[in-house]
Amino acid sequence: MALVNVDDEETIIDVLIAVDAETLVASLPAGTEKAPTPVTDESIYMLVRSDDAVFGQASKELKLNARTEDVIRWRMTSLSFNAGYFGLMYSFLPVSGSSLISTPQPLLAQVKAPLPDPANPAVPKTQVIQTYFWSCTVLAAGEVTYAFRFMICDRAGKVCGYYDWDPFISITD
């Protein structure tokens, strides 16, 4: 979800990346950290607010519409919402247009999150959790192509495979 400032200043563009981890692990070679397996099928779904998508909403080839000084944040989850497998991005590689955005950095933040209370489902409890995302700032107009490398881990933390794919960013002003 993007937060838009009324002052027409920068916007935060949140990109949710849902990966069909079970299918990837079952159908593609595991790859290695330095040589991940490219994802060429439709096992990655990237979502943003409708206004932030140029094309490819809910696909692995999402093209964003961003403006100078916007902040882009990427988060990954599995389709099972990390119940069986976890998707963790570990590397960002610029392909073209790297000077148009700041170098994306992984960040770890502590946030309060609601937690259902089975004894009283209509009144949630809260818990402090750590959230992991990658973030960058848009610096100039143009086209950016990049690759994210990610791993799929099981619930025990064992790496089941390394993968990558290459989406785009369109910067309009």
Side-chain angles (χ1 to χ4, degrees):
M1 171 188 230
L3 302 175
V4 179
N5 292 330
V6 182
D7 304 38
D8 196 31
E9 293 179 10
E10 73 272 3
T11 299
I12 296 174
I13 301 172
D14 282 315
V15 181
L16 175 63
I17 304 161
V19 60
D20 184 352
E22 188 172 349
T23 297
L24 287 179
V25 169
S27 65
L28 292 177
T32 66
E33 177 184 353
K34 300 287 187 209
T37 300
V39 176
T40 57
D41 66 356
E42 297 303 319
S43 296
I44 296 177
Y45 311 91
M46 297 173 60
L47 300 165
V48 293
R49 285 185 65 240
S50 295
D51 293 349
D52 294 331
V54 175
F55 69 79
Q57 183 78 289
S59 78
K60 71 179 183 68
E61 294 297 340
L62 175 66
K63 188 170 186 179
L64 296 176
N65 188 25
R67 296 177 14 190
T68 303
E69 297 185 13
D70 284 354
V71 173
I72 302 171
R73 298 188 304 202
W74 296 269
R75 287 182 173 83
M76 179 176 273
T77 189
S78 68
L79 288 182
S80 67
F81 200 61
N82 296 334
Y85 288 103
F86 295 79
L88 298 171
M89 296 179 293
Y90 67 89
S91 178
F92 174 93
L93 301 166
V95 176
S96 67
S98 63
S99 65
L100 305 178
I101 59 173
S102 65
T103 302
Q105 298 294 318
L107 300 171
L108 192 59
Q110 288 188 357
V111 297
K112 284 188 178 180
L115 179 67
D117 182 354
N120 190 359
V123 180
K125 298 178 181 181
T126 60
Q127 62 180 341
V128 175
I129 64 168
Q130 291 187 336
T131 183
Y132 175 77
F133 59 94
W134 284 70
S135 182
C136 78
T137 300
V138 176
L139 303 175
E143 298 283 329
V144 179
T145 302
Y146 60 98
F148 259 124
R149 290 182 171 178
F150 66 100
M151 67 185 94
I152 302 295
C153 300
D154 65 15
R155 289 189 287 190
K158 176 183 170 247
V159 176
C160 300
Y162 295 92
Y163 308 92
D164 71 358
W165 88 106
D166 60 345
F168 312 90
I169 302 171
S170 174
I171 304 165
T172 57
D173 73 18

